[in-house]
């Protein structure tokens, strides 16, 4: 097929030159200089080169991809009869990818990095572009303007991936850097060992040497610091030491700092000293891209995987709330192919539906009830549903209660009286609660993002 495209390339260019929607200037500037690099018959991707290796050339490649790839795709299919996707890049980018060293720096193993969690393997979409850009800026200029960086979002959306990507980048740039990446649980356990002189663990001096002398400290799932007073005290002091030394600090969490309602204010304030960026649920196009990226990574590991487009589209359309489930679906397809002793591309849609029925069951969508809404909201805020329905007035209970009442009213149209019966409140109290939350949504972007995330969790379709 590649041979045919190369033979017909001049005809393709002539076809594009005559396209009235392109214009002579656009054709001469952007399309005529393109040359064919390769055609991947497995993926159907035709890679074209826009020559140069400077930043402006990479920007030009991105622009031509977005603006003209559909014109080229149509022209190739019209002239050759071959359907393909167009990828426009620079020779420098192709060489860098080909020559990319797969060996992870030795220092990476000391911080327990996942070799797959790099910036190159992170799929950027509208849901995570700000978080990705901020993470890359931090990796390139640690301790500079984006310090600390706070990333939040639901489980399985890529927060941990970005933390590992930052660490990988820093260590590749400086293998001698002291990069410490831990979960909040690990930080707490190290502190407990130090405080109680656990012989198997580290001493207090060793603990502070590890965390306070780091060039970069990245802590995953920082929300688990809530209700741990000694850990909060140690983190506060560690934060101050690193920040004053202009060392990079990065946190990830399942919620923004302002929702840490029982956390000491001095810590909540420090979390907000730098940018706070969120990762939302990926849209359909991003989910397709994630699935294709997973295939590409598996092929680089020597696995034979090329899943039919219909199957990819089916997975992307139905698995909407968790990237881990998206990637897990690929593994299930591969396992089925292995059991049947066939290629993954030979797995048709019906076979895929059968093997994925425990992940995807579009015919048994869960009914949205008040109990279900309260359950989802409670899980999101890590509180017990019985507390949400109690008369407790503490802030960590009040916020999920107000959101639950608002969503019950908004999503299933229950009356204020009926909602009041569930929560043991009268009509006017519930109405005031719902109206107060509605008003807050117009002024509080973080709260609005949390509510939007909860709506998608409750009703993924």
């Amino acid at each position: 097929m590649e041979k045919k495209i190369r033979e017909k390339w001049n005809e393709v260019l002539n076809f594009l030159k005559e396209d009235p929607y392109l214009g002579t200037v656009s054709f001469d500037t952007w399309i005529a200089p393109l040359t064919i690099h390769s055609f991947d018959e497995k993926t159907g991707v035709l890679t074209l080169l826009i020559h140069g290796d400077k930043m402006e050339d990479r920007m030009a490649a991105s622009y031509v991809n977005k603006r003209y790839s559909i014109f080229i795709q149509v022209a190739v299919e019209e002239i050759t009869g071959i359907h393909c996707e167009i990828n426009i890049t620079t020779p420098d980018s192709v060489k860098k990818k080909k020559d990319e060293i797969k060996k992870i720096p030795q220092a990476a193993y000391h911080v327990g990095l996942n070799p797959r969690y790099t910036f190159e393997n992170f799929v950027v979409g509208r849901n995570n572009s700000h978080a990705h850009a901020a993470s890359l800026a931090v990796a390139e200029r640690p301790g500079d303007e984006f310090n600390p960086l706070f990333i939040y979002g639901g489980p399985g959306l890529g927060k941990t991936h970005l933390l590992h990507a930052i660490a990988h980048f820093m260590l590749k740039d400086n293998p001698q850097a002291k990069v410490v990446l831990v979960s909040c649980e690990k930080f707490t356990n190290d502190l407990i060992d130090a405080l109680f002189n656990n012989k198997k663990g580290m001493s207090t001096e060793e603990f502070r040497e590890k965390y306070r002398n780091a060039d970069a400290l990245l802590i995953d799932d920082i929300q688990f610091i809530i209700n741990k007073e000694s850990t909060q005290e140690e983190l506060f002091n560690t934060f101050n030491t690193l920040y004053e030394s202009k060392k990079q600090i990065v946190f990830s969490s399942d919620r923004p700092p302002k929702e840490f309602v029982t956390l000491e204010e001095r810590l909540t304030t420090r979390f907000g000293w730098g940018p706070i960026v969120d990762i939302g649920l990926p849209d359909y196009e991003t989910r397709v891209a994630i699935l294709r990226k997973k295939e590409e990574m598996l092929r680089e590991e020597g696995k034979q995987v090329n899943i039919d487009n219909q199957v990819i589209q089916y997975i992307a359309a139905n698995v909407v709330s968790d990237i881990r489930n998206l990637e897990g679906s690929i593994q299930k397809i591969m396992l089925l192919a292995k059991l049947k002793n066939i290629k993954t591309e030979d797995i048709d849609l019906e076979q895929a539906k059968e093997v994925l029925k425990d992940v995807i069951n579009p015919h048994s969508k869960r009914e949205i009830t008040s109990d279900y809404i309260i359950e989802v909201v409670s899980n999101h805020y890590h509180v017990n549903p019985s507390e949400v329905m109690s008369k407790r007035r503490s802030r960590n209970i009040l916020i999920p209660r107000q959101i639950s009442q608002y969503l019950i009213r908004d999503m299933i149209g229950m009356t204020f009286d009926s909602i009041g019966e569930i929560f043991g409140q009268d009509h006017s109290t519930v109405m005031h609660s719902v109206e107060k939350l509605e008003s807050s949504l117009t002024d509080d972007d973080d709260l609005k993002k949390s509510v939007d995330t909860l709506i998608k969790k409750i009703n993924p379709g």
Side-chain angles (χ1 to χ4, degrees):
M1 290 185 182
E2 180 175 333
K3 182 180 179 181
K4 185 175 181 180
I5 295 174
R6 289 184 181 279
E7 289 174 347
K8 300 279 187 178
W9 185 243
N10 285 335
E11 292 180 46
V12 171
L13 291 177
N14 288 333
F15 183 91
L16 288 164
K17 189 174 184 178
E18 294 173 5
D19 192 322
Y21 292 100
L22 279 177
T24 304
V25 175
S26 294
F27 174 83
D28 290 340
T29 304
W30 301 114
I31 296 177
L34 296 175
T35 59
I36 297 172
H37 173 264
S38 62
F39 178 73
D40 188 332
E41 294 192 15
K42 289 184 178 180
T43 62
V45 174
L46 174 62
T47 299
L48 304 174
L49 298 182
I50 186 166
H51 291 274
D53 57 3
K54 297 177 182 178
M55 176 61 75
E56 47 266 42
D57 295 304
R58 291 196 291 274
M59 292 173 65
S62 176
Y63 170 79
V64 178
N65 257 321
K66 291 177 182 178
R67 181 71 179 83
Y68 300 112
S69 62
I70 187 64
F71 290 93
I72 300 170
Q73 181 180 331
V74 170
V76 171
E77 187 164 0
E78 183 70 24
I79 299 300
T80 68
I82 299 170
H83 177 74
C84 61
E85 300 294 326
I86 304 298
N87 173 43
I88 298 166
T89 187
T90 66
D92 180 65
S93 297
V94 170
K95 184 177 184 299
K96 182 181 280 189
K97 187 170 183 179
K98 184 177 180 181
D99 296 340
E100 188 173 271
I101 300 172
K102 292 183 176 160
K103 182 180 178 183
I104 304 299
Q106 190 63 34
Y109 293 108
H110 298 310
V111 293
L113 296 186
N114 186 325
R116 294 181 178 179
Y117 287 175
T118 64
F119 283 118
E120 291 79 10
N121 291 334
F122 190 84
V123 177
V124 182
R126 286 180 293 182
N127 64 307
N128 58 25
S129 58
H130 289 158
H132 174 266
S135 298
L136 187 56
V138 159
E140 291 175 336
R141 300 182 301 279
D144 198 0
E145 55 184 331
F146 289 176
N147 194 28
L149 173 64
F150 195 102
I151 306 170
Y152 75 93
L157 296 181
K159 303 184 300 296
T160 300
H161 189 142
L162 284 177
L163 262 64
H164 282 244
I166 292 169
H168 273 302
F169 191 103
M170 288 180 177
L171 288 169
K172 189 173 182 179
D173 189 53
N174 178 14
Q176 305 307 315
K178 295 179 181 177
V179 178
V180 179
L181 191 161
V182 294
S183 65
C184 186
E185 181 183 15
K186 171 64 175 170
F187 182 86
T188 301
N189 289 340
D190 282 352
L191 177 60
I192 291 170
D193 286 344
L195 292 176
F196 290 94
N197 296 314
N198 188 327
K199 292 182 180 179
K200 293 182 180 179
M202 56 179 64
S203 66
T204 304
E205 292 75 18
E206 289 171 333
F207 176 89
R208 289 173 179 165
E209 169 68 24
K210 174 180 178 178
Y211 288 103
R212 297 189 187 181
N213 289 330
D215 294 312
L217 174 62
L218 304 94
I219 301 183
D220 203 6
D221 288 326
I222 196 66
Q223 71 271 11
F224 291 115
I225 200 173
I226 294 173
N227 299 326
K228 296 183 175 75
E229 294 180 4
S230 295
T231 307
Q232 290 180 30
E233 178 68 29
E234 190 59 41
L235 180 64
F236 176 77
N237 292 324
T238 300
F239 182 103
N240 287 342
T241 300
L242 293 173
Y243 188 82
E244 289 167 5
S245 302
K246 297 188 181 301
K247 304 301 184 181
Q248 184 63 52
I249 307 165
V250 184
F251 299 115
S252 81
S253 172
D254 65 350
R255 69 195 86 166
K258 65 171 60 178
E259 291 187 14
F260 287 15
V261 289
T262 59
L263 190 66
E264 291 183 23
E265 185 177 354
R266 60 180 183 168
L267 264 179
T268 305
T269 301
R270 279 162 174 74
F271 288 162
W273 279 1
I276 299 171
V277 293
D278 73 302
I279 299 181
L281 295 173
D283 57 22
Y284 171 78
E285 290 78 11
T286 305
R287 296 197 296 272
V288 170
I290 289 168
L291 291 167
R292 289 303 185 195
K293 170 58 76 172
K294 178 66 174 178
E295 280 189 304
E296 180 185 320
M297 290 166 62
L298 289 167
R299 284 196 291 269
E300 288 176 355
E301 294 173 6
K303 297 179 175 65
Q304 299 297 317
V305 53
N306 184 31
I307 296 173
D308 182 80
N309 275 330
Q310 276 193 311
V311 174
I312 290 289
Q313 290 164 7
Y314 172 74
I315 296 170
N318 289 282
V319 181
V320 300
S321 60
D322 192 325
I323 291 172
R324 295 191 193 106
N325 280 340
L326 274 177
E327 295 180 339
S329 298
I330 295 281
Q331 299 287 356
K332 285 180 176 290
I333 297 295
M334 291 174 64
L335 178 60
L336 178 62
K338 186 174 182 179
L339 291 172
K340 289 181 171 290
N341 197 26
I342 58 177
K343 295 180 180 179
T344 53
E345 54 261 46
D346 294 330
I347 301 293
D348 62 24
L349 185 56
E350 292 308 311
Q351 290 173 315
K353 287 180 178 180
E354 177 63 24
V355 76
L356 296 172
K357 64 184 179 183
D358 60 331
V359 178
I360 302 170
N361 192 349
H363 302 299
S364 61
K365 205 170 187 178
R366 180 160 181 177
E367 181 184 1
I368 299 174
T369 64
S370 59
D371 287 342
Y372 180 48
I373 290 174
I374 293 168
E375 176 190 332
V376 173
V377 175
S378 300
N379 289 338
H380 181 80
Y381 285 97
H382 300 283
V383 295
N384 195 300
S386 62
E387 292 180 298
V388 174
M389 292 186 286
S390 72
K391 295 186 182 298
R392 286 183 56 191
R393 301 284 301 170
S394 57
R395 181 171 167 79
N396 68 312
I397 300 299
L398 194 59
I399 289 176
R401 181 184 299 139
Q402 288 179 336
I403 291 175
S404 295
Q405 292 176 347
Y406 167 79
L407 292 176
I408 291 170
R409 172 74 175 173
D410 183 67
M411 297 186 76
I412 58 180
M414 192 175 283
T415 65
F416 291 127
D417 285 327
S418 298
I419 298 173
E421 289 178 10
I422 295 171
F423 291 89
Q425 297 176 339
D426 59 32
H427 170 279
S428 58
T429 301
V430 175
M431 184 168 67
H432 174 71
S433 176
V434 171
E435 289 176 348
K436 184 177 179 181
L437 191 88
E438 285 177 335
S439 176
S440 299
L441 288 174
T442 61
D443 303 319
D444 190 333
D445 288 340
D446 289 335
L447 177 63
K448 186 176 186 309
K449 287 174 181 175
S450 294
V451 170
D452 287 344
T453 296
L454 283 164
I455 290 172
K456 289 177 181 177
K457 283 184 176 181
I458 293 165
N459 185 18

